[in-house]
Structures are given as structure tokens and as C-alpha cells.
Amino acid sequence: MIEATQRPRARSFSGRAEPALVSFLRSLDWILLAAAAGLIGYGLWVVGGITRFDVPGDEQYFVVRQGFAAAIGVVGLVVATLIPIDLWRRYWKLVYGATLGLMIVVFVAAETVRGSKRWLDLGVIQFQPSELGKVLFVLALAGYAVDRVGPTTRWKTIFTVIGLGAVPILLVFMQPDLGTALVYAAALFAVLFFVGLRWRQLIVLLVAGILAITSVLWLLPAAGVQVLKPYQAARLTLDPDADPGGITYNLNQSITAVGSGGLTGRGVIDASQTKLDYLPEHATDFAFASLAEQRGFVGCAILLLLYLLVVWRGLRVITGARELYGVVVAGGLVVAFLFQVFVNVGMTMGVAPVTGIPLPFVTVGGSSMVANLVLIGVLQSIHARGELGRGGP
């Protein structure tokens, strides 16, 4: 049910009453929608180039599947836009339960692929629950936090919020999926920031997080306690020159691909790193490196500008939200989105750890595409009701 249908009809510039649907459509952030549409179209074009030679005899194999995922994602965007944001807050416990359920079903029904249990085979597509879980995680956690956390909140309550967030993070980490677990952790910190914790409390939590990371990577292993698998620890402390032919091979090939693209790229045919498969995972983890090789600085800049447009409009959603819940949800989603972009792009150039975080709207994988479009839909829902609450756009 659309919340706008319960409001009086808005007045148009001519003074006549507008139908509720027209008023609702006028209240949407069309620039944000245009940015999402641009990312879908540009992402499909990029995928067409970087996967052209991956399936002999079917150059459009991955484009077709990515397009199918985008169509499902658009439906999810529309549904998320129409759902009143207050509904998520009211039923945050159900949303939280659904989030945990998605994580648990992976351990029960998913097949092990490359040592990880992350994907559910639905026949037509493979679904990765932790991707959609990113959005549900923020919606649920914000629903609990906005009623209990503020500038005068005691540490006991803060630890309760952290505990609620830690359960899904731990379940994702156990799949194992370190990259996605880090995205959840970034979203958790964003929720605590936007809900209004004091700076002193945020600094304490940040220092505690740094100490925890230091312990996991160095202190505990030195004491004989291994929390991370060896390959995970190596990714987080990766030195490109450590083992060029072994564990750092992917990173070195990625850096080579990025550097060889130059200003305008080598094109699809001459991009040897991608075409000849010297760059592993060039359609998933290192999609940005393949884009840099084929389309150069210009092609990468276009993609980054589209991301910047989404982040900018997301920040406007935060400032225009009607209530604190909308602020916290929008803030958590924007930070999670930006974190994914920053880490994925950074890891292709050796300035961020190689964690397997997908590049939004580009990495081949339907789950990421659907989740990010649902994210856009939630932002639209918050923005539209903020505009309607002020009497129209």
C-alpha cells in the first residue's frame, strides 16, 4: 500500500488537485533513477566487452544473464519504492529473522564451490543470499537502533546493537566470505554513526575495531591461534612483490591490466590480459581492471562518475528524510555501497586488500545486481515520502 494514497491530493502549478499516483511519481528522485539506469546500461556494455571471448560461440552469454538479473532487479526496485519505509521499522524483527534465515539456509542447501558455501542454485539463476542480506541487515538493525540509541545511550545498549549486527556478520564470515562480512561491518558502523552516538563513543568503537583486526592478523596467529584461513590472511596483508607467480599472481596481473589501458584503453580485441585470460576472475573480482584495460582512464572515469552521482543523491536522501529511521537506513545503505566501490576499485590497483567484494552493477552475478537495485528502491521510498511530507517536490 502506498502511503501517499492516504494524503490529500497535492496541488499542481495550475492550482488543480493532482491524483495521488502523479504526486508520488513527481516526488521521486529522477536523477537517482537516471544514475541507476545509466549504471545498468553502462554495466551491460562493459560486461559485453570483458566477457566476449569467455564462452566460445556465444559472445552475449553473460550479457543476457546479466540483463535478466537487471530485469528482476528493476521489479525489486519498484516494489521497494512502493513499500512505506515505516513498514520496515514496524516489522524489524521479522526483517532481522529473514536476514538470519537467508544466511542459515546457505549452510543447509548451498553447494560448496571453491571451498565456500555462498550460492543457492535456483535453476535459472544462482542466488547469493548475503547480497540481498546487506539491504535487509541495514533495515532491521536501524529499526532496533533508532528507538534505543542516541547521544545519552549507555554502553550496554550499544553493545546490544553490536551484538545483533555481529550475528549476521559471523554467519557470512563462516561461509567463508570475508569481503561481504566487511561490508556488513561497515554498514553496522554507519548505523551507529547516523543514529547519533557521541563522537567519543564512535572513536572508542573505531579503536576497538582496529585492535580486533590487529589481533586477528598478527597477535593471535603469533600466539598460535588462527582465526582466518591462510589465504584470507594473505589477501589482507598482500604484498604485490611477495610471490609474483603464486599468491600475488592475480594482483600483479590486475595492476598490469590497469596500467596498460592508458587514457582511452586498448579496446576489446587488443586487451590481451582480458582476452587471453591472463587476468583471472576478470568478469567478477577484477572486472574494474578489465574495464581499465579495454576502455582506459576515460571508461573508468565514466563509471566512477555514475557511482558518485548515486552517492550524491543518496546523501540528499539522508538530508531530506522525514524521520530518524529514514536517515539511518539511507546512511547505512550509502556507506555500504560506497565501501564496496572503494574496496573493489582499490584492490585492482593494490591499494586495498583483495577480498572478493563485487563491483556494483558491473561484476557478473545476478544477486549483486538485484540487491543494488533494491537498495536504490529503498532510497527512493525514503526520498519520496520525505518530499510528500513537505507538501510535494
Side-chain angles (χ1 to χ4, degrees):
M1 181 176 181
I2 302 177
E3 181 182 326
T5 59
Q6 300 176 353
R7 298 181 178 274
R9 292 188 175 187
R11 295 282 176 177
S12 64
F13 291 112
S14 63
R16 297 178 180 177
E18 288 184 341
L21 179 59
V22 174
S23 178
F24 185 77
L25 291 175
R26 280 169 49 83
S27 68
L28 296 177
D29 187 340
W30 290 95
I31 297 179
L32 178 59
L33 283 177
L39 281 169
I40 293 173
Y42 194 72
L44 290 175
W45 180 69
V46 171
V47 168
I50 66 179
T51 65
R52 180 176 298 183
F53 306 103
D54 288 2
V55 181
D58 191 354
E59 295 180 349
Q60 301 300 312
Y61 179 87
F62 287 106
V63 178
V64 171
R65 280 152 182 78
Q66 194 81 338
F68 179 71
I72 297 176
V74 169
V75 175
L77 185 155
V78 173
V79 172
T81 300
L82 294 178
I83 295 177
I85 193 66
D86 292 339
L87 198 62
W88 298 108
R89 179 182 181 180
R90 192 180 313 157
Y91 296 105
W92 73 264
K93 292 181 181 179
L94 291 178
V95 178
Y96 184 77
T99 306
L100 295 182
L102 285 173
M103 308 306 167
I104 293 172
V105 74
V106 169
F107 294 99
V108 177
E111 296 183 1
T112 302
V113 179
R114 299 181 183 177
S116 301
K117 300 188 72 170
R118 305 180 189 176
W119 298 273
L120 297 176
D121 190 352
L122 303 182
V124 180
I125 61 171
Q126 284 191 325
F127 175 61
Q128 186 175 351
S130 60
E131 285 296 319
L132 182 59
K134 295 172 186 175
V135 180
L136 298 179
F137 176 78
V138 173
L139 289 167
L141 204 61
Y144 177 84
V146 293
D147 291 327
R148 298 166 176 84
V149 179
T152 60
T153 301
R154 296 179 180 273
W155 279 106
K156 180 180 179 180
T157 304
I158 297 174
F159 288 144
T160 302
V161 177
I162 295 174
L164 286 173
V167 177
I169 293 174
L170 181 60
L171 289 173
V172 172
F173 176 77
M174 291 171 59
Q175 293 182 3
D177 189 352
L178 176 60
T180 303
L182 291 175
V183 176
Y184 278 62
L188 170 58
F189 186 83
V191 167
L192 292 172
F193 173 82
F194 284 101
V195 83
L197 283 188
R198 287 171 290 182
W199 281 105
R200 183 172 67 252
Q201 294 171 320
L202 290 171
I203 292 173
V204 170
L205 292 176
L206 183 60
V207 171
I210 294 174
L211 290 175
I213 293 173
T214 302
S215 299
V216 168
L217 291 178
W218 291 289
L219 299 182
L220 291 177
V225 180
Q226 295 291 340
V227 179
L228 299 177
K229 295 181 182 297
Y231 76 89
Q232 291 176 321
R235 284 180 172 182
L236 290 175
T237 58
L238 205 54
D239 177 4
D241 299 323
D243 184 15
I247 195 169
T248 64
Y249 174 81
N250 290 9
L251 177 57
N252 279 284
Q253 293 302 317
S254 175
I255 294 174
T256 300
V258 172
S260 65
L263 180 62
T264 58
R266 304 174 67 184
V268 175
I269 302 298
D270 296 325
S272 58
Q273 292 292 112
T274 300
K275 179 181 177 181
L276 301 180
D277 209 22
Y278 290 125
L279 175 61
E281 309 298 337
H282 59 259
T284 51
D285 294 356
F286 294 99
F288 187 82
S290 290
L291 169 62
E293 182 187 25
Q294 292 186 349
R295 307 302 176 185
F297 174 82
V298 174
C300 292
I302 293 173
L303 179 64
L304 294 177
L305 286 173
L306 287 171
Y307 286 146
L308 181 61
L309 188 56
V310 170
V311 172
W312 170 51
R313 301 311 293 186
L315 294 176
R316 285 181 59 88
V317 171
I318 295 171
T319 60
R322 285 173 48 192
E323 56 186 20
L324 180 59
Y325 180 70
V327 171
V328 177
V329 169
L333 294 179
V334 170
V335 168
F337 181 86
L338 183 60
F339 183 83
Q340 291 179 83
V341 174
F342 176 82
V343 174
N344 183 279
V345 172
M347 77 181 189
T348 64
M349 296 179 282
V351 298
V354 179
T355 58
I357 293 177
L359 185 63
F361 295 98
V362 176
T363 290
V364 171
S367 302
S368 177
M369 175 70 78
V370 172
N372 283 300
L373 287 171
V374 171
L375 181 153
I376 298 294
V378 174
L379 292 178
Q380 285 288 357
S381 177
I382 298 169
H383 178 271
R385 286 160 180 85
E387 291 292 323
L388 290 171
R390 288 190 294 271

